[in-house]
Amino acid sequence: MDTTPASADELIVLGKITSVHGVRGEVKVYSFTDPIDNLLDYRRWTLRRGDEWRQAELVGGRLQGRVLVAKLRGVDDRDEARALADFEILIPLAQLPRLDEGEYYWHQLEGLRVIDQAGRLLGRVDHLLETGANDVLVVRACAGSLDDRERLLPYTEQCVLRVDLAAGEMQVDWDADF
């Protein structure tokens, strides 16, 4: 496996190697993609654990229950596979499928300023949560925000009125009931 990383700014984390599977060098993978086996569509992975970087090639994989099992080129036994535990799996952003107008990847929303209809800054999107009904924006206070509260806002058409990536903000119909 090559150890030369691409620029970290050009990569996105799509999963993590969690442990070994069997004795032939396969690894168990936790995928952040939806559906989880979409991670298997990417054959070249950049692996990162702390300051350590590696390049890996996926030669096969399968969904086994709610876990992905992956086989990487050159990893042929349990000890080699165990050495990959806790590595994050990254791919170049440019490889992500193009989305339709008005659709966004979570990483694009993180960091956006959240403004209500009155122009008040509620905070910044820290991260998103997946729930059964809809995704939820976790908005944390920042310099200049209305107050120091953390807010959980539904990522729905009723709440999110406008997303402007170029301006770095989104406008919401904020109601204290959210």
Side-chain angles (χ1 to χ4, degrees):
M1 282 187 266
D2 183 10
T3 59
T4 307
S7 168
D9 293 337
E10 300 169 2
L11 299 171
I12 184 167
V13 177
L14 290 187
K16 185 174 186 175
I17 298 173
T18 59
S19 61
V20 299
H21 178 80
V23 295
R24 296 186 184 139
E26 293 179 314
V27 293
K28 290 182 183 178
V29 174
Y30 183 81
S31 174
F32 303 144
T33 63
D34 183 23
I36 62 174
D37 58 344
N38 276 0
L39 181 59
L40 300 176
D41 293 342
Y42 305 97
R43 294 296 180 195
R44 297 222 173 259
W45 293 354
T46 298
L47 304 179
R48 176 181 69 192
R49 181 175 60 196
D51 292 334
E52 187 178 357
W53 294 79
R54 297 182 183 191
Q55 297 297 310
E57 182 181 348
L58 178 69
V59 293
R62 65 189 178 282
L63 185 59
Q64 188 163 316
R66 294 171 37 142
V67 173
L68 286 180
V69 175
K71 176 69 174 148
L72 302 177
R73 183 170 310 286
V75 180
D76 298 315
D77 67 41
R78 188 172 179 84
D79 292 333
E80 291 171 338
R82 183 178 291 121
L84 297 176
D86 297 324
F87 270 91
E88 293 176 311
I89 300 165
L90 300 92
I91 63 135
L93 285 168
Q95 289 185 9
L96 292 176
R98 191 172 206 78
L99 296 177
D100 292 334
E101 178 87 18
E103 292 183 346
Y104 304 95
Y105 286 109
W106 282 14
H107 76 273
Q108 293 175 298
L109 302 174
E110 293 170 351
L112 293 182
R113 292 183 308 276
V114 179
I115 311 292
D116 70 7
Q117 288 179 296
R120 298 177 297 187
L121 177 62
L122 301 177
R124 289 188 180 272
V125 177
D126 184 69
H127 61 281
L128 288 91
L129 303 171
E130 185 176 359
T131 67
N134 53 262
D135 295 336
V136 174
L137 299 161
V138 178
V139 179
R140 294 218 169 119
C142 62
S145 61
L146 179 65
D147 54 32
D148 61 354
R149 290 184 47 205
E150 177 178 273
R151 291 178 172 82
L152 302 177
L153 301 176
Y155 185 60
T156 62
E157 290 180 7
Q158 294 79 20
C159 181
V160 178
L161 304 175
R162 180 179 55 83
V163 174
D164 186 341
L165 296 178
E169 67 182 34
M170 74 170 51
Q171 184 180 32
V172 298
D173 183 1
W174 178 65
D175 184 321
D177 293 334
F178 286 138

